[in-house]
Amino acid sequence: LVEGGAVSSHTLTINDQYTGYSAVTVNDNNVTSPYTLQNGDIIKVPTLTQGIMINGTSYDTRSENVLNISNEDITVVRTGAEKTIDPVPYITINYTA
């Protein structure tokens, strides 16, 4: 919270918002970047590309992790060719404000 009771907003920024199975979703919905984060948002990042960075930490294809992020912006950078993997592995981010 900021002085005066105003809530500071944080954003989810996605460098490459792929479509279909490769899309980053918030609460199982496709979003456009930048997206204003809400308390309780659940962000799913498919790990289908060679390079995935979330807030500066690198993850591999097929990484499956759960991250708990509070009160900060979230940046997702994905590079490289998409791979077809079934089932689709995700990094799940639980956001709290």
Side-chain angles (χ1 to χ4, degrees), residues 1-9:
L1 292 174
V2 179
E3 276 185 53
V7 176
S8 60
S9 63

Side-chain angles (χ1 to χ4, degrees), residues 8-19:
S8 60
S9 63
H10 291 93
T11 56
L12 167 66
T13 305
I14 307 161
N15 81 314
D16 236 337
Q17 176 59 308
Y18 299 107
T19 57

Side-chain angles (χ1 to χ4, degrees), residues 30-47:
N30 288 340
V31 296
T32 55
S33 177
Y35 168 83
T36 301
L37 291 162
Q38 306 292 320
N39 186 45
D41 278 346
I42 299 170
I43 301 127
K44 290 195 171 184
V45 181
T47 55

Side-chain angles (χ1 to χ4, degrees), residues 27-82:
N27 305 323
D28 293 324
N29 297 306
N30 288 340
V31 296
T32 55
S33 177
Y35 168 83
T36 301
L37 291 162
Q38 306 292 320
N39 186 45
D41 278 346
I42 299 170
I43 301 127
K44 290 195 171 184
V45 181
T47 55
L48 296 172
T49 57
Q50 291 166 332
I52 297 155
M53 288 188 68
I54 299 172
N55 287 6
T57 301
S58 190
Y59 297 90
D60 294 345
T61 301
R62 292 182 162 257
S63 285
E64 290 201 83
N65 291 294
V66 174
L67 308 175
N68 294 305
I69 297 177
S70 298
N71 293 317
E72 64 180 274
D73 293 335
I74 299 173
T75 303
V76 176
V77 177
R78 298 185 293 175
T79 57
E82 292 180 73

